[in-house]
Amino acid sequence: MARDANADPRPWHAPTSGTTAFAAALMIFGGAMAIFEGIAAIAKDDLFLVTRHYVFDFSLTGWGWVHLILGIVIVIAGCAVLGGQLWARFLGVFVAGLGALANFLWMPYYPLWALTLVAVNIFIVWALCMGMHREAHDDRTA
């Protein structure tokens, strides 16, 4: 008996939209930027501003570890999104949201870098969500 090709839903083995692939590339790039940011903060580089009376006043080393760990997780999730893993998309949305929040709180230390990474992380969240939405719509119409 021949089965109809549309009877079974297609598995998500690879990113089928350009938006998802671009989000994965941005995850790898943005995660690498966060890793460098974390390494520079852990090394106590003179690049960062010293602020006083900031509400979220962690030590520079503490912020460095936060950015380093988030960056590593974002890069791993970005590689998994390129591999077509569905769990990585959900993890990417979550971790990119955390990355945007962490960089927003990091703004007094290095404003230009922080604003750039906030924008990259927000775009990652948007692109991953739109890619999933488009692929789900394509699956229903196919």
Side-chain angles (χ1 to χ4, degrees):
M1 270 187 178
R3 291 177 59 172
D4 186 14
N6 292 331
D8 293 326
R10 293 185 318 186
W12 292 6
H13 290 296
T16 56
S17 72
T19 308
T20 303
F22 186 62
L26 272 180
M27 288 171 74
I28 294 168
F29 172 72
M33 287 178 65
I35 289 170
F36 294 137
E37 178 179 46
I39 291 171
I42 291 169
K44 294 186 170 119
D45 200 349
D46 293 336
L47 185 69
F48 302 108
L49 298 173
V50 177
T51 59
R52 293 189 240 117
H53 308 297
Y54 181 52
V55 175
F56 303 103
D57 189 22
F58 296 139
S59 71
L60 199 57
T61 305
W63 275 117
W65 283 107
V66 167
H67 289 291
L68 181 66
I69 292 168
L70 278 174
I72 290 169
V73 174
I74 290 172
V75 168
I76 291 169
C79 291
V81 167
L82 278 179
Q85 302 297 321
L86 180 61
W87 61 266
R89 295 178 188 199
F90 293 109
L91 179 65
V93 169
F94 177 71
V95 178
L98 285 179
L101 179 64
N103 280 294
F104 178 75
L105 297 175
W106 174 254
M107 209 168 299
Y109 297 99
Y110 198 27
L112 185 60
W113 190 294
L115 281 174
T116 302
L117 284 179
V118 167
V120 166
N121 284 318
I122 288 173
F123 187 74
I124 288 169
V125 170
W126 174 83
L128 285 174
C129 292
M130 282 306 295
M132 285 188 270
H133 173 73
R134 288 181 182 159
E135 290 162 15
H137 178 66
D138 291 344
D139 281 344
R140 279 184 283 183
T141 59

